[in-house]
Amino acid sequence: MHLGVSESMRECEYSQISTRSSTPMETPYKKRTPKKRKWESFQGRNKFYCDGRIMMAKQTGVFYLTLVLILVTCGLFFTFDCPFLALELTPVIPVIGGVLFMFVLGTLLRTSFSDPGVLPRATPDEAADLERQIDVANGSTGYKPPPRTKEVVINGQTVKLKYCFTCKIFRPPRASHCSLCDNCVERFDHHCPWVGNCVGRRNYRFFYMFILSLSFLTIFIFAFVITHIILSSNRNGFLSALKDSPASVLEVVVCFFSVWSIVGLSGFHTYLISSNQTTNEDIKGSWSSKRGKDNYNPYSHGNIFTNCCAALCGPLPPSLIDRRGFIQSDTPQLAPPTNGITMYGATQSQQSHMCDQDQCIQSTKFVLQAAATPLLQQQSSEPVILTTSPENGGTLTGRTSLTLGGPCTSLPLGQPTPPTSTPSLSCHEATDMLPIHGHSLAHNHSHPLQEPVAHHHFLTPEEVPSPPGMLPCGSPLGHSHTMQAGFYNPASQDSLHEDSVRGLVKLSSV
Amino acid sequence: MGTEMGQKRHSASLANKVFIQRDYSEGTTCKFQTKFPSELESRIERTLFEDTVKTLNNYYAEAEKIGGQSYLEGCLACATAYLIFLCVETRYEKVLKKIAKYIQEQNEKIYAPRGLLITDPIERGMRVIEISIYEDRGSSGSSSGSSSVSGSTAR
């Protein structure tokens, strides 16, 4: 049956394929779904505000405490102490105080709201490629792969690069995975609850300037409040001085307790900067001479001055996660893989609010099918389990149990990631549907499924793309790893099941 | 099933992807391995590929260079409380734009005629240079990657 010229082919239903059940998915009209920004499908446990401009960790309570402490203390200082001091001593005092206060606030907000240097997770293709390389290197026949590390020599020092099971990448040197935010962060220093964010490559200098300026501010306020009380008590007596400005007492108390920790922290970070180490490295003693006499820091530039300048005034790399970019389909993908079309067409769900949900439903089907079908249980006992690296905080449900419609927090299907790392758990919409981190599971299945699948354009569920021109929304081969939160509607399970059987038979027949 | 579509079209289909990983031997600065991947052996000359990667490495080195200009930029930015970046681009961003243009140019002149496509590393989190290998559907009934086994044709 001749379908006509190529352009119209894109728009026609693939109706002559008998296995395909016609769905509104393939209707030729363009779906007018709003374009989503990448932050909306971000896989870490971060919170975004202002349409992706502001990025913070999930727990921000302590950050608000920090803010309140600073604002209240400074507010009291300016209201009660500054008038006296301006009159008695000099009006420069409130001015300097004001400048310091603005600087502290600015650096705090900058530290808290910016991207610390999060590494985006690997795309499915990359992950598959790495897996293949690892398998080739190991030649392992047993199912449980050995811990994955790569050694690299940097300036004469051997550094081990660890494989991150959550992000599916080999972490660059100095990067670390933050278990609170569930992201790999470049040059990871630490996760600071006081600023409500990780401190990494992109915001370390702001963090340092924040604690430095806060130390100055604290000492400044402390000193001048004491001065105020002393001058006041010289005139009127100590007790009446205290009665006149009770706020001063509060300020003194707050400052007294803060000054030790903040000044101490500033000193510590000054040392770290001058030796070009991260908190992480210092705590582990990675470059300590106690480990061996040949152990030295390969990242240090040699002298203190250069290290400081590099850390504070060096170039600021841009954010790698492009939170405000739009999720778009990958244009070079001209012809969809045929199996993909078949399986995509077998999607049953109609009422997806956004196109990506169809892909997620598709992937969900894969997941369910893969877990349930005897086809895939030919390999070793637990086909869907990968070893979890302990630093991923592996609260891993290792069982491949299909408990659909279960609570969101329990991932029923074995994942290499902790259950709470699914994207939808931190998602903003309230959902009672089961989120499934479909792609990683499908990725697991590319392992037991034979090589042809892996080479076969890596047919994971996300790679069931829309035929070009059919649906304008995100093909999974998009620029960023746009695995949406998978939503599964238990109501359509049976027909989905049937479709996925069909789909998987095709997949395995490749 | 379904390949009949592709066979009618003179379009290329994605066969494979090659990933050029980062080279960390000089630390955390951005640098990619210049090792020539075996999958590209039949597609492109080694020298062309190496030139591309070396040029990219040079661009990244320029972006991340710490020296007089970057210090000046850093201090100025700090003095203006980083508000200056609302108006002016950082040097890194400028170099990234140059890189994007260079990659596009390379794609147009060298890689696309050979059925290859380079993806800008920034879109992959600076982890890899992704080179997509395309097979011409018209030339082979079932190309190595993406077509199904059954090359059934429906006419």
Side-chain angles (χ1 to χ4, degrees):
Chain A
M1 200 152 94
H2 189 62
L3 279 189
V5 291
S6 46
E7 288 98 324
S8 62
M9 272 158 55
R10 290 176 180 223
E11 252 132 334
C12 288
E13 291 86 9
Y14 292 84
S15 51
Q16 70 273 29
I17 301 171
S18 56
T19 53
R20 177 175 297 269
S21 57
S22 65
T23 72
M25 282 311 122
E26 291 149 17
T27 49
Y29 66 83
K30 276 187 179 255
K31 277 206 167 180
R32 259 173 266 103
T33 48
K35 276 200 158 182
K36 272 176 89 174
R37 291 199 192 255
K38 290 180 188 171
W39 67 265
E40 295 179 67
S41 60
F42 186 68
Q43 287 155 294
R45 236 177 288 152
N46 291 90
K47 283 204 241 174
F48 295 89
Y49 303 106
C50 287
D51 199 21
R53 291 180 179 89
I54 290 176
M55 174 176 177
M56 297 182 76
K58 196 171 176 205
Q59 311 287 353
T60 49
V62 189
F63 164 70
Y64 293 122
L65 175 68
T66 310
L67 212 52
V68 160
L69 274 176
I70 294 175
L71 289 172
V72 165
T73 312
C74 292
L76 291 175
F77 178 71
F78 289 122
T79 320
F80 294 103
D81 298 278
C82 279
F84 179 88
L85 291 165
L87 289 171
E88 289 293 313
L89 293 176
T90 161
V92 175
I93 294 173
V95 172
I96 295 179
V99 167
L100 268 176
F101 170 68
M102 298 305 294
F103 196 72
V104 164
L105 218 52
T107 46
L108 171 64
L109 295 180
R110 186 86 199 214
T111 310
S112 305
F113 293 166
S114 59
D115 169 15
V118 172
L119 288 168
R121 299 191 183 186
T123 56
D125 295 324
E126 277 178 66
D129 189 65
L130 270 180
E131 287 270 341
R132 230 176 300 144
Q133 284 177 21
I134 291 169
D135 283 344
V136 163
N138 289 341
S140 58
T141 48
Y143 190 81
K144 278 207 168 172
R148 301 170 176 190
T149 56
K150 219 183 342 184
E151 288 207 349
V152 102
V153 178
I154 300 177
N155 288 337
Q157 279 281 342
T158 311
V159 176
K160 268 205 181 133
L161 302 185
K162 289 196 191 149
Y163 182 79
C164 180
F165 283 95
T166 313
C167 305
K168 296 204 171 47
I169 56 172
F170 274 99
R171 279 187 219 127
R174 310 192 97 178
S176 191
H177 190 93
C178 175
S179 47
L180 290 164
C181 302
D182 204 30
N183 292 318
C184 272
V185 178
E186 276 189 293
R187 201 188 182 281
F188 180 73
D189 196 87
H190 66 287
H191 181 100
C192 186
W194 298 96
V195 302
N197 205 355
C198 287
V199 177
R201 185 178 177 206
R202 294 188 75 246
N203 63 356
Y204 186 58
R205 70 191 67 186
F206 306 120
F207 175 74
Y208 179 72
M209 288 196 276
F210 165 63
I211 54 175
L212 198 62
S213 53
L214 189 61
S215 333
F216 288 135
L217 183 66
T218 317
I219 295 174
F220 183 86
I221 292 180
F222 188 68
F224 282 105
V225 168
I226 300 277
T227 312
H228 174 205
I229 292 178
I230 291 177
L231 289 176
S232 214
S233 54
N234 280 349
R235 282 197 205 152
N236 310 328
F238 185 64
L239 285 172
S240 71
L242 289 181
K243 254 190 288 178
D244 282 338
S245 62
S248 308
V249 181
L250 178 66
E251 290 167 51
V252 167
V253 168
V254 169
C255 289
F256 181 76
F257 287 112
S258 324
V259 89
W260 303 111
S261 43
I262 293 174
V263 171
L265 199 60
S266 307
F268 176 60
H269 278 280
T270 309
Y271 158 71
L272 287 182
I273 282 188
S274 60
S275 60
N276 202 335
Q277 286 186 80
T278 63
T279 305
N280 214 15
E281 286 165 356
D282 187 73
I283 287 177
K284 288 189 200 162
S286 313
W287 313 122
S288 153
S289 51
K290 292 184 199 144
R291 280 209 179 188
K293 61 179 175 66
D294 280 337
N295 206 24
Y296 59 89
N297 185 359
Y299 310 110
S300 171
H301 294 101
N303 67 53
I304 292 177
F305 181 68
T306 319
N307 283 339
C308 291
C309 286
L312 300 176
C313 305
L316 190 64
S319 173
L320 296 173
I321 54 178
D322 187 26
R323 354 189 244 287
R324 287 182 41 83
F326 286 106
I327 300 167
Q328 31 186 265
S329 55
D330 208 14
T331 40
Q333 190 196 350
L334 300 172
T338 53
N339 276 8
I341 292 175
T342 313
M343 291 185 272
Y344 183 77
T347 302
Q348 197 235 259
S349 154
Q350 315 282 308
Q351 71 282 14
S352 61
H353 312 293
M354 293 171 202
C355 318
D356 341 88
Q357 277 199 8
D358 306 317
Q359 289 152 15
C360 298
I361 291 164
Q362 188 61 46
S363 63
T364 308
K365 278 165 34 190
F366 263 98
V367 153
L368 297 172
Q369 193 45 51
T373 308
L375 268 174
L376 299 170
Q377 279 161 15
Q378 56 197 314
Q379 320 81 2
S380 49
S381 52
E382 294 182 318
V384 297
I385 298 180
L386 285 183
T387 52
T388 313
S389 160
E391 70 218 338
N392 282 347
T395 50
L396 181 61
T397 58
R399 286 269 115 223
T400 315
S401 59
L402 276 183
T403 55
L404 301 167
C408 285
T409 48
S410 68
L411 261 187
L413 306 159
Q415 303 276 334
T417 58
T420 47
S421 72
T422 53
S424 56
L425 285 173
S426 57
C427 70
H428 315 292
E429 322 75 278
T431 174
D432 54 357
M433 300 198 231
L434 187 70
I436 292 176
H437 204 190
H439 89 283
S440 53
L441 184 62
H443 170 66
N444 304 345
H445 282 289
S446 72
H447 209 60
L449 286 175
Q450 320 62 355
E451 281 310 292
V453 177
H455 287 309
H456 185 287
H457 187 36
F458 192 66
L459 273 178
T460 58
E462 309 85 357
E463 295 228 349
V464 179
S466 52
M470 289 288 212
L471 291 168
C473 330
S475 158
L477 287 181
H479 296 291
S480 63
H481 187 54
T482 60
M483 181 59 194
Q484 309 295 321
F487 294 96
Y488 174 73
N489 188 346
S492 53
Q493 185 183 350
D494 287 337
S495 33
L496 272 178
H497 185 82
E498 187 191 54
D499 289 337
S500 40
V501 172
R502 227 185 285 140
L504 256 152
V505 167
K506 285 176 186 48
L507 176 61
S508 53
S509 69
V510 167
Chain B
M1 52 199 95
T3 21
E4 56 271 37
M5 303 296 159
Q7 284 175 351
K8 297 280 184 195
R9 305 188 227 183
H10 292 293
S11 55
S13 71
L14 185 62
N16 201 1
K17 285 189 185 182
V18 184
F19 297 98
I20 315 294
Q21 301 285 342
R22 283 270 293 267
D23 176 9
Y24 292 116
S25 59
E26 287 177 19
T28 52
T29 50
C30 186
K31 196 175 168 211
F32 291 95
Q33 293 177 353
T34 48
K35 181 169 142 287
F36 189 61
S38 51
E39 292 92 338
L40 295 180
E41 252 161 42
S42 54
R43 308 293 295 235
I44 190 169
E45 295 82 6
R46 180 185 288 259
T47 46
L48 285 174
F49 169 81
E50 282 178 0
D51 272 343
T52 310
V53 179
K54 283 194 182 137
T55 315
L56 284 176
N57 285 341
N58 288 337
Y59 272 124
Y60 286 119
E62 185 197 323
E64 295 186 1
K65 194 171 69 141
I66 44 171
Q69 200 194 349
S70 72
Y71 290 157
L72 196 63
E73 194 187 38
C75 293
L76 186 67
C78 183
T80 61
Y82 293 89
L83 294 171
I84 196 161
F85 290 138
L86 294 172
C87 322
V88 182
E89 271 184 338
T90 63
R91 194 172 68 149
Y92 210 112
E93 284 168 357
K94 285 191 192 131
V95 178
L96 285 178
K97 282 202 174 149
K98 276 202 265 180
I99 289 172
K101 226 174 89 181
Y102 173 74
I103 288 180
Q104 195 191 5
E105 196 189 291
Q106 289 281 294
N107 273 336
E108 281 169 13
K109 290 192 193 151
I110 299 179
Y111 289 84
R114 291 169 171 76
L116 302 171
L117 187 74
I118 301 183
T119 307
D120 196 335
I122 194 80
E123 293 174 21
R124 295 289 176 263
M126 305 282 262
R127 292 183 302 265
V128 288
I129 304 176
E130 183 180 300
I131 303 182
S132 313
I133 303 175
Y134 287 90
E135 296 281 346
D136 188 14
R137 279 248 189 176
S139 57
S140 54
S142 62
S143 45
S144 62
S146 46
S147 45
S148 75
V149 170
S150 60
S152 58
T153 55
R155 304 253 156 79

